Amino acid sequence: QVQLVESGGGLVQAGGSLRLSCAASGRTFSNYVMGWFRQAPGKERESVASISTGGGNTDYADSVKGRFTISWDNRKNTVYLQMDSLKPEDTGVYTCAAVLAPINTVVALRYDYWGQGTQVTVSG
């Protein structure tokens, strides 16, 4: 059974950094797309970034380009989200997700597996 377990959230001041981790288990994640989504209070869930485990292709939301970096460690089956220059509007619950797919996708409904989420709070 596939499990995704996030860690690394917390409280940080604006301008600071955090690194989120999502450990995946239960199968071999070749040719998967791993995504990070976030949801702020009162707002819809939005895609933040995604990466293909096979080719390493990445995709970012415009709001985080140049500040966030997604990466995949094949040996550890772990996807990371390095978040720099954090802003208060980055506050939310960050959740990782996985889907067997040939190309990246930002559509949440296309993802089959989800973690529980980790809270990120950026104080202004």
Side-chain angles (χ1 to χ4, degrees):
Q1 185 172 351
V2 173
Q3 280 194 316
L4 303 175
V5 180
E6 302 97 336
S7 60
L11 173 64
V12 64
Q13 290 187 337
S17 298
L18 281 175
R19 188 176 82 153
L20 305 183
S21 301
C22 174
S25 62
R27 64 183 55 191
T28 301
F29 289 88
S30 302
N31 301 313
Y32 268 70
V33 173
M34 308 297 292
W36 282 99
F37 291 79
R38 69 184 179 191
Q39 187 167 20
K43 294 188 176 180
E44 292 187 355
R45 181 168 53 192
E46 63 174 344
S47 172
V48 176
S50 64
I51 186 168
S52 61
T53 62
N57 296 323
T58 58
D59 190 30
Y60 296 93
D62 288 342
S63 59
V64 306
K65 281 181 182 177
R67 300 188 299 121
F68 290 12
T69 304
I70 189 171
S71 60
W72 168 254
D73 187 327
N74 206 41
R75 292 179 305 165
K76 297 182 178 179
N77 272 0
T78 298
V79 60
Y80 301 97
L81 186 67
Q82 176 67 41
M83 305 186 294
D84 299 317
S85 302
L86 282 161
K87 305 175 181 179
E89 51 264 42
D90 293 318
T91 294
V93 176
Y94 284 69
T95 308
C96 70
V99 60
L100 178 63
I103 59 173
N104 295 41
T105 178
V106 299
V107 180
L109 288 175
R110 293 180 179 170
Y111 285 81
D112 294 321
Y113 307 104
W114 292 83
Q116 293 299 309
T118 185
Q119 176 70 45
V120 171
T121 303
V122 184
S123 63

